């Protein structure tokens, strides 16, 4: 395995109750120092893939390697994962959440988190239940990006965030990961996330990769934005 591979997945398959595969023979690699967009419609397996890498689900078959080693409980310390839904207890204060992350993650920077909370005007004395859905999602993203992980996995990080805050969220993602780390962003909001992406992969249903490559090169080659290209590729995929 190459030294610069942060994540390597080979032949991943996962089915749920009725036996229809959400992912089938899915191969994917992530190199260090890049932001990857895993782009596709809801239900195509993006969230399932992240949960498999995070260890929240067990694959039916296939392998996952993190920084050259098989995925394990130990490799969880290398991953900072933002799920699609907020999971913090509503009664918790933001300050208590900071305490929790300091205790639980040795790579968490309270200073970085407090700076970003201040930038967004989120008081640490507030309880999560007092915050709007968008504010809760911002708090969760701040916690995730204030760690010094090797792999950041962000599932729909701007899905519930108001358009005015999206630029700050994207700048937060860009500014808070090291050259040795990588970021995977899953989303169906391709236009909003496109400016920060180095690499992309379009996912069809069942985890099929329809097209992938370098974002700048594909724009230069096709003369299209990723959003425009995705619509064209997916139209052909649906017709087929």
């Amino acid at each position: 395995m190459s030294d610069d591979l942060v994540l390597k997945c080979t032949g991943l398959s996962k089915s749920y109750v009725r036996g229809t595969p959400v992912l089938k023979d899915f191969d994917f690699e992530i190199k260090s120092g890049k932001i990857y967009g895993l782009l596709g419609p809801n239900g195509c397996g993006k969230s399932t893939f992240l949960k498999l890498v995070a260890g929240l689900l067990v694959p039916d078959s296939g392998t996952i390697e993190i920084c050259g080693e098989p995925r394990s409980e130990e490799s969880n310390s290398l991953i900072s994962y933002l799920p699609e839904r907020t999971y913090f207890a509503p009664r918790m204060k933001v300050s208590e959440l900071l305490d929790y992350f300091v205790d639980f993650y040795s790579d968490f920077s309270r200073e970085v988190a407090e700076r970003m909370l201040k930038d967004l005007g989120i008081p640490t004395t507030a309880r999560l239940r007092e915050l709007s859905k968008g504010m809760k999602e911002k708090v969760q993203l701040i916690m995730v990006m204030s760690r010094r992980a090797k792999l950041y996995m962000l599932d729909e990080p701007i899905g519930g965030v108001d358009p005015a805050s999206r630029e700050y969220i994207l700048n937060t993602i860009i500014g808070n990961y090291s050259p040795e780390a990588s970021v995977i962003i899953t989303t169906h909001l391709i236009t909003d996330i496109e400016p920060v992406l180095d690499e992309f992969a379009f996912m069809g249903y069942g985890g099929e990769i329809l097209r992938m490559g370098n974002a700048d090169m594909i724009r230069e080659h096709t003369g299209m934005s990723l959003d425009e290209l995705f619509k064209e590729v997916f139209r052909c995929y649906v017709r087929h």
Side-chain angles (χ1 to χ4, degrees):
M1 183 174 179
S2 173
D3 290 340
D4 65 349
L5 280 180
V6 174
L7 172 67
K8 181 177 182 180
C9 300
T10 306
L12 277 188
S13 295
K14 180 65 180 178
S15 299
Y16 292 116
V17 178
R18 296 176 183 267
T20 302
V22 179
L23 292 176
K24 185 177 181 181
D25 298 325
F26 185 72
D27 298 335
F28 201 61
E29 293 184 353
I30 298 289
K31 292 186 177 181
S32 62
K34 293 183 181 294
I35 299 178
Y36 287 75
L38 201 53
L39 312 173
N42 292 328
C44 71
K46 302 187 304 293
S47 295
T48 294
F49 168 65
L50 295 191
K51 289 175 183 177
L52 289 168
V53 176
L56 300 177
L57 294 174
V58 177
D60 298 332
S61 60
T63 61
I64 301 172
E65 295 181 13
I66 310 291
C67 296
E69 298 293 332
R71 212 224 79 81
S72 64
E73 290 301 312
E74 288 73 25
S75 66
N76 287 343
S77 64
L78 304 176
I79 299 170
S80 194
Y81 170 52
L82 177 75
E84 186 176 8
R85 293 179 176 84
T86 304
Y87 62 91
F88 299 140
R91 68 179 182 278
M92 292 183 73
K93 292 182 178 180
V94 176
S95 60
E96 293 172 337
L97 198 55
L98 290 167
D99 293 338
Y100 172 81
F101 267 70
V102 167
D103 289 342
F104 203 78
Y105 298 108
S106 61
D107 62 357
F108 180 76
S109 171
R110 187 176 191 129
E111 180 182 357
V112 170
E114 287 180 338
R115 185 186 73 239
M116 289 193 283
L117 289 166
K118 184 177 180 181
D119 287 347
L120 288 173
I122 302 174
T124 57
T125 55
R127 295 188 186 277
L128 293 176
R129 66 188 175 207
E130 299 169 351
L131 301 177
S132 67
K133 181 177 183 291
M135 293 294 265
K136 289 175 188 174
E137 292 189 357
K138 292 172 190 175
V139 169
Q140 189 161 295
L141 177 66
I142 286 170
M143 297 298 154
V144 167
M145 295 308 299
S146 295
R147 291 182 55 199
R148 287 293 174 259
K150 290 291 187 181
L151 177 62
Y152 299 88
M153 303 195 303
L154 313 178
D155 196 358
E156 296 285 354
I158 60 172
V161 176
D162 58 284
S165 297
R166 287 179 182 175
E167 184 177 356
Y168 181 88
I169 296 298
L170 296 179
N171 288 335
T172 297
I173 293 169
I174 293 171
N176 284 273
Y177 82 103
S178 72
E180 294 78 31
S182 293
V183 182
I184 307 174
I185 303 174
T186 72
T187 189
H188 63 283
L189 301 171
I190 300 174
T191 299
D192 294 291
I193 216 77
E194 180 172 347
V196 306
L197 299 182
D198 298 307
E199 306 284 334
F200 74 95
F202 295 154
M203 282 184 71
Y205 295 107
E208 181 182 358
I209 297 293
L210 306 179
R211 189 159 183 173
M212 63 189 303
N214 178 274
D216 288 336
M217 289 179 63
I218 203 71
R219 280 190 289 261
E220 182 178 348
H221 178 70
T222 64
M224 303 169 71
S225 69
L226 290 184
D227 187 51
E228 292 169 335
L229 181 62
F230 176 79
K231 289 174 182 175
E232 179 178 288
V233 169
F234 210 77
R235 273 197 300 270
C236 295
Y237 169 73
V238 171
R239 283 202 300 268
H240 179 74

